mmCIF file of all heavy atoms in Angstrom:
data_model
loop_
_atom_site.group_PDB
_atom_site.id
_atom_site.type_symbol
_atom_site.label_atom_id
_atom_site.label_comp_id
_atom_site.label_asym_id
_atom_site.label_seq_id
_atom_site.Cartn_x
_atom_site.Cartn_y
_atom_site.Cartn_z
ATOM 1 N N TRP W 29 -23.514 -55.969 209.651
ATOM 2 C CA TRP W 29 -23.509 -56.947 208.549
ATOM 3 C C TRP W 29 -24.298 -56.428 207.361
ATOM 4 O O TRP W 29 -23.866 -56.555 206.209
ATOM 5 C CB TRP W 29 -24.080 -58.266 209.068
ATOM 6 C CG TRP W 29 -24.103 -59.349 208.008
ATOM 7 C CD1 TRP W 29 -23.038 -60.002 207.474
ATOM 8 C CD2 TRP W 29 -25.263 -59.883 207.383
ATOM 9 N NE1 TRP W 29 -23.448 -60.920 206.544
ATOM 10 C CE2 TRP W 29 -24.824 -60.867 206.466
ATOM 11 C CE3 TRP W 29 -26.640 -59.643 207.513
ATOM 12 C CZ2 TRP W 29 -25.707 -61.597 205.674
ATOM 13 C CZ3 TRP W 29 -27.518 -60.378 206.729
ATOM 14 C CH2 TRP W 29 -27.054 -61.333 205.814
ATOM 15 N N GLN W 30 -25.454 -55.813 207.648
ATOM 16 C CA GLN W 30 -26.270 -55.262 206.571
ATOM 17 C C GLN W 30 -25.559 -54.086 205.897
ATOM 18 O O GLN W 30 -25.582 -53.945 204.668
ATOM 19 C CB GLN W 30 -27.630 -54.810 207.128
ATOM 20 C CG GLN W 30 -28.541 -55.948 207.557
ATOM 21 C CD GLN W 30 -29.054 -56.764 206.382
ATOM 22 O OE1 GLN W 30 -28.917 -56.359 205.233
ATOM 23 N NE2 GLN W 30 -29.616 -57.935 206.671
ATOM 24 N N LEU W 31 -24.921 -53.240 206.735
ATOM 25 C CA LEU W 31 -24.183 -52.113 206.158
ATOM 26 C C LEU W 31 -23.008 -52.600 205.306
ATOM 27 O O LEU W 31 -22.704 -52.038 204.255
ATOM 28 C CB LEU W 31 -23.672 -51.199 207.275
ATOM 29 C CG LEU W 31 -24.727 -50.374 208.014
ATOM 30 C CD1 LEU W 31 -24.100 -49.647 209.204
ATOM 31 C CD2 LEU W 31 -25.358 -49.355 207.049
ATOM 32 N N ASP W 32 -22.360 -53.679 205.795
ATOM 33 C CA ASP W 32 -21.240 -54.236 205.039
ATOM 34 C C ASP W 32 -21.713 -54.752 203.680
ATOM 35 O O ASP W 32 -21.029 -54.572 202.658
ATOM 36 C CB ASP W 32 -20.596 -55.360 205.848
ATOM 37 C CG ASP W 32 -19.407 -55.977 205.130
ATOM 38 O OD1 ASP W 32 -18.446 -55.243 204.857
ATOM 39 O OD2 ASP W 32 -19.439 -57.187 204.837
ATOM 40 N N ARG W 33 -22.886 -55.366 203.674
ATOM 41 C CA ARG W 33 -23.425 -55.860 202.399
ATOM 42 C C ARG W 33 -23.901 -54.714 201.520
ATOM 43 O O ARG W 33 -23.762 -54.758 200.298
ATOM 44 C CB ARG W 33 -24.588 -56.826 202.655
ATOM 45 C CG ARG W 33 -24.170 -58.138 203.290
ATOM 46 C CD ARG W 33 -25.356 -59.091 203.358
ATOM 47 N NE ARG W 33 -25.896 -59.354 202.018
ATOM 48 C CZ ARG W 33 -27.036 -60.023 201.807
ATOM 49 N NH1 ARG W 33 -27.754 -60.466 202.833
ATOM 50 N NH2 ARG W 33 -27.464 -60.231 200.581
ATOM 51 N N ALA W 34 -24.450 -53.694 202.134
ATOM 52 C CA ALA W 34 -24.994 -52.582 201.351
ATOM 53 C C ALA W 34 -23.893 -51.690 200.790
ATOM 54 O O ALA W 34 -24.055 -51.095 199.713
ATOM 55 C CB ALA W 34 -25.947 -51.752 202.220
ATOM 56 N N TYR W 35 -22.788 -51.587 201.496
ATOM 57 C CA TYR W 35 -21.695 -50.702 201.061
ATOM 58 C C TYR W 35 -20.362 -51.459 201.036
ATOM 59 O O TYR W 35 -19.465 -51.199 201.844
ATOM 60 C CB TYR W 35 -21.588 -49.490 201.998
ATOM 61 C CG TYR W 35 -22.854 -48.685 202.084
ATOM 62 C CD1 TYR W 35 -23.732 -48.852 203.167
ATOM 63 C CD2 TYR W 35 -23.179 -47.775 201.083
ATOM 64 C CE1 TYR W 35 -24.907 -48.122 203.239
ATOM 65 C CE2 TYR W 35 -24.357 -47.047 201.157
ATOM 66 C CZ TYR W 35 -25.211 -47.223 202.230
ATOM 67 O OH TYR W 35 -26.374 -46.503 202.289
ATOM 68 N N PRO W 36 -20.231 -52.415 200.124
ATOM 69 C CA PRO W 36 -18.984 -53.191 200.073
ATOM 70 C C PRO W 36 -17.845 -52.340 199.520
ATOM 71 O O PRO W 36 -18.065 -51.342 198.828
ATOM 72 C CB PRO W 36 -19.338 -54.329 199.101
ATOM 73 C CG PRO W 36 -20.357 -53.729 198.195
ATOM 74 C CD PRO W 36 -21.174 -52.790 199.052
ATOM 75 N N PRO W 37 -16.620 -52.718 199.823
ATOM 76 C CA PRO W 37 -15.486 -51.989 199.245
ATOM 77 C C PRO W 37 -15.437 -52.229 197.733
ATOM 78 O O PRO W 37 -15.802 -53.312 197.253
ATOM 79 C CB PRO W 37 -14.276 -52.608 199.957
ATOM 80 C CG PRO W 37 -14.735 -53.972 200.377
ATOM 81 C CD PRO W 37 -16.194 -53.830 200.688
ATOM 82 N N PRO W 38 -14.994 -51.252 196.974
ATOM 83 C CA PRO W 38 -15.019 -51.370 195.502
ATOM 84 C C PRO W 38 -13.884 -52.250 194.965
ATOM 85 O O PRO W 38 -13.048 -51.807 194.173
ATOM 86 C CB PRO W 38 -14.872 -49.914 195.050
ATOM 87 C CG PRO W 38 -14.085 -49.258 196.133
ATOM 88 C CD PRO W 38 -14.515 -49.931 197.413
ATOM 89 N N LEU W 39 -13.882 -53.505 195.402
ATOM 90 C CA LEU W 39 -12.814 -54.399 194.972
ATOM 91 C C LEU W 39 -12.959 -54.797 193.509
ATOM 92 O O LEU W 39 -11.969 -54.986 192.794
ATOM 93 C CB LEU W 39 -12.802 -55.664 195.848
ATOM 94 C CG LEU W 39 -12.483 -55.443 197.330
ATOM 95 C CD1 LEU W 39 -12.608 -56.750 198.101
ATOM 96 C CD2 LEU W 39 -11.084 -54.861 197.493
ATOM 97 N N ASP W 40 -14.201 -54.929 193.044
ATOM 98 C CA ASP W 40 -14.419 -55.338 191.657
ATOM 99 C C ASP W 40 -14.103 -54.226 190.669
ATOM 100 O O ASP W 40 -13.901 -54.477 189.484
ATOM 101 C CB ASP W 40 -15.873 -55.795 191.464
ATOM 102 C CG ASP W 40 -16.165 -57.060 192.262
ATOM 103 O OD1 ASP W 40 -15.208 -57.811 192.534
ATOM 104 O OD2 ASP W 40 -17.338 -57.287 192.618
ATOM 105 N N SER W 41 -14.083 -52.996 191.153
ATOM 106 C CA SER W 41 -13.811 -51.863 190.254
ATOM 107 C C SER W 41 -12.353 -51.433 190.342
ATOM 108 O O SER W 41 -12.026 -50.267 190.150
ATOM 109 C CB SER W 41 -14.727 -50.683 190.605
ATOM 110 O OG SER W 41 -14.502 -50.253 191.940
ATOM 111 N N GLN W 42 -11.499 -52.404 190.687
ATOM 112 C CA GLN W 42 -10.074 -52.082 190.787
ATOM 113 C C GLN W 42 -9.579 -51.516 189.463
ATOM 114 O O GLN W 42 -10.030 -51.896 188.385
ATOM 115 C CB GLN W 42 -9.276 -53.345 191.141
ATOM 116 C CG GLN W 42 -7.785 -53.098 191.293
ATOM 117 C CD GLN W 42 -7.051 -54.371 191.673
ATOM 118 O OE1 GLN W 42 -7.668 -55.328 192.122
ATOM 119 N NE2 GLN W 42 -5.750 -54.372 191.489
ATOM 120 N N ALA W 43 -8.636 -50.609 189.535
ATOM 121 C CA ALA W 43 -8.139 -49.932 188.340
ATOM 122 C C ALA W 43 -7.664 -50.942 187.301
ATOM 123 O O ALA W 43 -7.112 -51.994 187.615
ATOM 124 C CB ALA W 43 -6.991 -48.999 188.727
ATOM 125 N N THR W 44 -7.904 -50.606 186.044
ATOM 126 C CA THR W 44 -7.510 -51.467 184.930
ATOM 127 C C THR W 44 -5.994 -51.613 184.895
ATOM 128 O O THR W 44 -5.248 -50.651 185.067
ATOM 129 C CB THR W 44 -7.999 -50.870 183.601
ATOM 130 O OG1 THR W 44 -9.407 -50.680 183.671
ATOM 131 C CG2 THR W 44 -7.661 -51.785 182.445
ATOM 132 N N THR W 45 -5.558 -52.830 184.659
ATOM 133 C CA THR W 45 -4.122 -53.070 184.553
ATOM 134 C C THR W 45 -3.690 -53.023 183.089
ATOM 135 O O THR W 45 -4.510 -53.117 182.176
ATOM 136 C CB THR W 45 -3.752 -54.432 185.159
ATOM 137 O OG1 THR W 45 -4.550 -55.456 184.546
ATOM 138 C CG2 THR W 45 -3.991 -54.435 186.654
ATOM 139 N N SER W 46 -2.404 -52.879 182.890
ATOM 140 C CA SER W 46 -1.851 -52.787 181.540
ATOM 141 C C SER W 46 -2.005 -54.113 180.795
ATOM 142 O O SER W 46 -1.870 -55.187 181.383
ATOM 143 C CB SER W 46 -0.366 -52.425 181.602
ATOM 144 O OG SER W 46 -0.177 -51.155 182.186
ATOM 145 N N ALA W 47 -2.289 -54.013 179.494
ATOM 146 C CA ALA W 47 -2.301 -55.207 178.647
ATOM 147 C C ALA W 47 -0.864 -55.685 178.467
ATOM 148 O O ALA W 47 0.046 -54.881 178.261
ATOM 149 C CB ALA W 47 -2.938 -54.895 177.299
ATOM 150 N N GLU W 48 -0.679 -56.989 178.559
ATOM 151 C CA GLU W 48 0.668 -57.567 178.482
ATOM 152 C C GLU W 48 0.755 -58.588 177.355
ATOM 153 O O GLU W 48 -0.183 -59.349 177.115
ATOM 154 C CB GLU W 48 1.025 -58.278 179.782
ATOM 155 C CG GLU W 48 1.170 -57.399 180.993
ATOM 156 C CD GLU W 48 1.530 -58.234 182.207
ATOM 157 O OE1 GLU W 48 2.724 -58.493 182.420
ATOM 158 O OE2 GLU W 48 0.601 -58.645 182.929
ATOM 159 N N VAL W 49 1.899 -58.604 176.690
ATOM 160 C CA VAL W 49 2.229 -59.634 175.710
ATOM 161 C C VAL W 49 3.489 -60.335 176.212
ATOM 162 O O VAL W 49 4.516 -59.688 176.441
ATOM 163 C CB VAL W 49 2.462 -59.036 174.309
ATOM 164 C CG1 VAL W 49 2.821 -60.135 173.310
ATOM 165 C CG2 VAL W 49 1.226 -58.281 173.843
ATOM 166 N N LEU W 50 3.388 -61.649 176.403
ATOM 167 C CA LEU W 50 4.485 -62.433 176.963
ATOM 168 C C LEU W 50 5.119 -63.322 175.899
ATOM 169 O O LEU W 50 4.490 -63.653 174.886
ATOM 170 C CB LEU W 50 3.984 -63.307 178.114
ATOM 171 C CG LEU W 50 3.168 -62.625 179.213
ATOM 172 C CD1 LEU W 50 2.777 -63.644 180.270
ATOM 173 C CD2 LEU W 50 3.937 -61.474 179.836
ATOM 174 N N ASP W 51 6.348 -63.722 176.143
ATOM 175 C CA ASP W 51 6.997 -64.654 175.232
ATOM 176 C C ASP W 51 6.657 -66.081 175.638
ATOM 177 O O ASP W 51 5.875 -66.323 176.573
ATOM 178 C CB ASP W 51 8.512 -64.410 175.182
ATOM 179 C CG ASP W 51 9.271 -65.102 176.297
ATOM 180 O OD1 ASP W 51 8.671 -65.356 177.368
ATOM 181 O OD2 ASP W 51 10.465 -65.392 176.115
ATOM 182 N N ARG W 52 7.224 -67.046 174.940
ATOM 183 C CA ARG W 52 6.903 -68.450 175.175
ATOM 184 C C ARG W 52 7.257 -68.890 176.595
ATOM 185 O O ARG W 52 6.667 -69.861 177.109
ATOM 186 C CB ARG W 52 7.627 -69.322 174.148
ATOM 187 C CG ARG W 52 9.141 -69.247 174.258
ATOM 188 C CD ARG W 52 9.857 -69.924 173.088
ATOM 189 N NE ARG W 52 9.549 -71.321 172.965
ATOM 190 C CZ ARG W 52 8.858 -71.867 171.957
ATOM 191 N NH1 ARG W 52 8.404 -71.105 170.980
ATOM 192 N NH2 ARG W 52 8.638 -73.152 171.910
ATOM 193 N N ASP W 53 8.189 -68.225 177.250
ATOM 194 C CA ASP W 53 8.616 -68.588 178.596
ATOM 195 C C ASP W 53 7.970 -67.728 179.678
ATOM 196 O O ASP W 53 8.359 -67.808 180.853
ATOM 197 C CB ASP W 53 10.140 -68.483 178.711
ATOM 198 C CG ASP W 53 10.852 -69.376 177.707
ATOM 199 O OD1 ASP W 53 10.424 -70.530 177.526
ATOM 200 O OD2 ASP W 53 11.827 -68.918 177.083
ATOM 201 N N GLY W 54 7.011 -66.886 179.291
ATOM 202 C CA GLY W 54 6.345 -66.037 180.267
ATOM 203 C C GLY W 54 7.041 -64.724 180.538
ATOM 204 O O GLY W 54 6.616 -63.974 181.420
ATOM 205 N N GLN W 55 8.108 -64.401 179.812
ATOM 206 C CA GLN W 55 8.782 -63.121 179.994
ATOM 207 C C GLN W 55 8.027 -62.013 179.249
ATOM 208 O O GLN W 55 7.454 -62.247 178.188
ATOM 209 C CB GLN W 55 10.220 -63.201 179.477
ATOM 210 C CG GLN W 55 11.098 -64.178 180.212
ATOM 211 C CD GLN W 55 12.548 -64.068 179.790
ATOM 212 O OE1 GLN W 55 13.231 -63.083 180.068
ATOM 213 N NE2 GLN W 55 13.030 -65.084 179.102
ATOM 214 N N LEU W 56 8.059 -60.815 179.809
ATOM 215 C CA LEU W 56 7.327 -59.694 179.235
ATOM 216 C C LEU W 56 7.997 -59.215 177.946
ATOM 217 O O LEU W 56 9.170 -58.837 177.940
ATOM 218 C CB LEU W 56 7.262 -58.542 180.233
ATOM 219 C CG LEU W 56 6.447 -57.316 179.805
ATOM 220 C CD1 LEU W 56 4.977 -57.680 179.633
ATOM 221 C CD2 LEU W 56 6.603 -56.185 180.817
ATOM 222 N N LEU W 57 7.241 -59.265 176.854
ATOM 223 C CA LEU W 57 7.721 -58.735 175.579
ATOM 224 C C LEU W 57 7.317 -57.282 175.401
ATOM 225 O O LEU W 57 8.110 -56.450 174.962
ATOM 226 C CB LEU W 57 7.137 -59.550 174.414
ATOM 227 C CG LEU W 57 7.739 -60.910 174.107
ATOM 228 C CD1 LEU W 57 6.902 -61.608 173.045
ATOM 229 C CD2 LEU W 57 9.178 -60.771 173.633
ATOM 230 N N ARG W 58 6.075 -57.008 175.734
ATOM 231 C CA ARG W 58 5.568 -55.647 175.520
ATOM 232 C C ARG W 58 4.376 -55.413 176.441
ATOM 233 O O ARG W 58 3.591 -56.323 176.696
ATOM 234 C CB ARG W 58 5.140 -55.453 174.062
ATOM 235 C CG ARG W 58 4.934 -53.996 173.689
ATOM 236 C CD ARG W 58 4.589 -53.846 172.207
ATOM 237 N NE ARG W 58 4.789 -52.488 171.765
ATOM 238 C CZ ARG W 58 5.908 -52.019 171.230
ATOM 239 N NH1 ARG W 58 6.935 -52.841 171.070
ATOM 240 N NH2 ARG W 58 6.023 -50.766 170.862
ATOM 241 N N ALA W 59 4.275 -54.202 176.965
ATOM 242 C CA ALA W 59 3.125 -53.803 177.772
ATOM 243 C C ALA W 59 2.550 -52.517 177.194
ATOM 244 O O ALA W 59 3.251 -51.755 176.519
ATOM 245 C CB ALA W 59 3.532 -53.591 179.229
ATOM 246 N N PHE W 60 1.285 -52.311 177.436
ATOM 247 C CA PHE W 60 0.599 -51.113 176.954
ATOM 248 C C PHE W 60 0.065 -50.327 178.146
ATOM 249 O O PHE W 60 -0.475 -50.918 179.088
ATOM 250 C CB PHE W 60 -0.560 -51.484 176.022
ATOM 251 C CG PHE W 60 -0.117 -52.151 174.751
ATOM 252 C CD1 PHE W 60 0.013 -53.527 174.687
ATOM 253 C CD2 PHE W 60 0.175 -51.404 173.627
ATOM 254 C CE1 PHE W 60 0.410 -54.149 173.516
ATOM 255 C CE2 PHE W 60 0.583 -52.010 172.452
ATOM 256 C CZ PHE W 60 0.702 -53.388 172.390
ATOM 257 N N ALA W 61 0.222 -49.018 178.097
ATOM 258 C CA ALA W 61 -0.295 -48.175 179.178
ATOM 259 C C ALA W 61 -1.810 -48.318 179.264
ATOM 260 O O ALA W 61 -2.496 -48.589 178.264
ATOM 261 C CB ALA W 61 0.091 -46.720 178.942
#
Side-chain angles (χ1 to χ4, degrees):
W29 181 70
Q30 290 291 348
L31 289 173
D32 181 60
R33 291 187 59 189
Y35 302 100
L39 296 176
D40 294 335
S41 61
Q42 181 179 343
T44 304
T45 54
S46 297
E48 294 180 86
V49 179
L50 309 181
D51 84 334
R52 63 190 300 113
D53 302 317
Q55 297 188 69
L56 184 64
L57 283 173
R58 194 177 197 92
F60 295 90

